[in-house]
Amino acid sequence: MRPVVVFGLLHAGLAIVRSLGRQGLTVHGATLDPNEFGLRSRYLESGRRVDGVDGLLELLRELPERAVLFPERDENIELVLERWDEIRELADVPLPDDPDATRRLRRKDVLPDVAAGAGVDAPRTLPAESPEQIRAAGLRPPLLLKAVEGQEFALTFGEKAFVACDLDEAVAGWKRARESGFHTIVQELVPDSHEAVWSLFTYVGRDGEPKASVVGRKVRQGPLRFGTSAVFTSADDPEVHEVGQRLLRAAGYTGLAHVELVRDPRDGGLKLLEVNTRPPVWAAIATGAGLGIARTAYDDLTGNDPGPERTLPDGLTWVYLAKDLWVSAQMARRRELGPAAFLRPYVTRGKVRSVFAADDPRPALASLNYLRSRA
């Protein structure tokens, strides 16, 4: 049994650690931030803070066998791609052998062309290189201004995108982002779509075929309307599965991927929002015994046949209590959420907690320090 290294130990990384550790695999953890609460998991053989990719390479070289490396977040993947050849000498990674296949999906300015080649609709999107370009683009407000790639935009501004009701607001948002060093894209906003955001989280095997998949939708998110999930539920939608897999196949992608789509209320069609070449924050819904997506990836990467694709049934709900309290309070003040709707995810039988686990309680305690550091 080859060792596992999980690089990044927040919600998704912790879910992978627990899933593989409970099955008896030797799991090591590496983080860039000592406040990442997954470092406290009992299922880690060892855990350490590493100084960038050099520290990660040092850890991989110390292991007695070739490892399987799971990068958790965009910043972790960026570092892995920087030294891709060196990393691949020491570990197998749930990403395509060709790093350009990963980069094409990560870059929001390139993604619309990839989608067009796959026959997947997407909102009109253009690079935002200057105020003149934004004004001359011919896009119809309202508009979204997003970073070309990565999660640093959200960490800097506390929101994944700027919403602009007109071109003047779009230009003001561009200037604000550029002053902080961000290259951005501008995209037409699909109206009234925040309750119709769907996801496919999948592992595509080395043979190009999907091996494990979950489809679901955001129930509540933060920041409101354009944030990451506070509550997420699995749901059966074959069209989401088909469109997401078609896009990944056209891009020549293998490994773990999270495809986010929106169902346009104007025509009922699906439109591509983004692709993350990493597990989503709600990955724990897919790492449990019901699907075991992390073990599926491990088996495939170590040369064992994971078998035909497995999918997660609908009705399983992931909840991030700390975030949901904040989000739900805002929704309640707007009269968008009542007590019954708030409680519904917490009384369902198929509930998955974001951090707490009875057999591994220390990360939940450590997450309080993480939340304080983020505040």
Side-chain angles (χ1 to χ4, degrees):
M1 303 295 283
R2 285 165 47 190
V4 174
V5 174
V6 180
F7 184 30
L9 293 169
L10 296 179
H11 302 86
L14 175 60
I16 294 171
V17 168
R18 285 172 169 166
S19 174
L20 299 180
R22 285 168 179 155
Q23 297 176 65
L25 298 181
T26 300
V27 185
H28 303 270
T31 75
L32 299 170
D33 183 347
N35 288 314
E36 293 188 7
F37 44 82
L39 276 170
R40 302 294 180 263
S41 175
R42 60 173 289 198
Y43 291 106
L44 282 177
E45 180 75 12
S46 71
R48 68 173 77 169
R49 178 188 178 275
V50 297
D51 184 15
V53 71
D54 287 324
L56 177 63
L57 286 165
E58 180 181 352
L59 169 59
L60 292 173
R61 292 188 184 107
E62 292 174 3
L63 299 178
E65 295 180 80
R66 183 178 178 84
V68 176
L69 172 65
F70 288 89
E72 182 195 23
R73 309 181 77 230
D74 284 339
E75 61 182 341
N76 306 117
I77 290 177
E78 286 170 10
L79 291 174
V80 168
L81 292 177
E82 278 181 18
R83 308 275 286 276
W84 179 248
D85 291 339
E86 294 172 78
I87 293 287
R88 288 285 286 118
E89 288 180 359
L90 302 168
D92 291 291
V93 189
L95 293 170
D97 289 333
D98 179 4
D100 286 339
T102 303
R103 294 186 179 102
R104 284 194 297 271
L105 294 180
R106 284 167 51 80
R107 290 188 61 92
K108 295 179 179 66
D109 54 343
V110 176
L111 186 59
D113 293 332
V114 179
V120 175
D121 288 338
R124 287 190 63 201
T125 305
L126 292 171
E129 295 297 335
S130 68
E132 294 75 20
Q133 185 184 42
I134 293 172
R135 294 186 185 279
L139 298 179
R140 293 182 301 172
L143 303 172
L144 289 177
L145 204 78
K146 302 179 181 179
V148 167
E149 64 176 310
Q151 294 171 294
E152 288 300 317
F153 186 96
L155 294 174
T156 300
F157 297 111
E159 49 191 326
K160 290 179 65 177
F162 295 154
V163 182
C165 295
D166 54 37
L167 294 177
D168 288 338
E169 287 189 9
V171 169
W174 176 86
K175 291 179 179 178
R176 183 183 175 198
R178 184 55 62 94
E179 287 170 357
S180 295
F182 291 100
H183 291 275
T184 53
I185 56 97
V186 61
Q187 183 179 80
E188 290 185 349
L189 172 64
V190 178
D192 302 320
S193 59
H194 58 279
E195 294 183 349
V197 177
W198 288 80
S199 290
L200 167 72
F201 176 37
T202 187
Y203 176 75
V204 181
R206 298 286 119 180
D207 61 0
E209 296 299 322
K211 305 299 181 183
S213 301
V214 54
V215 168
R217 67 177 186 86
K218 290 180 180 178
V219 177
R220 292 195 283 270
Q221 58 187 305
L224 294 181
R225 291 173 171 77
F226 305 104
T228 56
S229 293
V231 178
F232 182 91
T233 186
S234 63
D236 184 27
D237 193 316
E239 186 183 7
V240 172
H241 181 278
E242 189 278 326
V243 170
Q245 295 291 358
R246 184 182 353 135
L247 174 72
L248 296 174
R249 191 177 303 112
Y253 188 86
T254 59
L256 291 172
H258 169 215
V259 182
E260 198 165 68
L261 302 141
V262 63
R263 192 170 292 283
D264 193 328
R266 296 169 293 189
D267 57 15
L270 288 170
K271 290 184 170 59
L272 178 66
L273 292 180
E274 63 183 28
V275 178
N276 298 309
T277 59
R278 55 172 173 79
V281 65
W282 45 265
I285 205 173
T287 57
L291 187 64
I293 196 169
R295 183 55 188 260
T296 297
Y298 177 89
D299 286 343
D300 185 58
L301 291 170
T302 55
N304 297 304
D305 183 8
E309 182 185 17
R310 294 193 300 151
T311 58
L312 195 69
D314 61 355
L316 203 62
T317 300
W318 176 89
V319 293
Y320 181 6
L321 176 61
K323 186 170 190 173
D324 192 35
L325 290 174
W326 170 61
V327 169
S328 296
Q330 296 176 69
M331 295 178 68
R333 285 195 294 269
R334 295 167 175 247
R335 300 186 182 276
E336 296 175 352
L337 184 70
F342 167 73
L343 289 172
R344 194 171 296 121
Y346 296 91
V347 298
T348 181
R349 293 179 62 184
K351 181 175 65 176
V352 178
R353 294 179 176 90
S354 64
V355 180
F356 178 77
D359 66 336
D360 190 27
R362 292 179 64 198
L365 296 174
S367 70
L368 300 177
N369 288 331
Y370 170 75
L371 290 172
R372 280 195 290 268
S373 72
R374 298 300 303 145

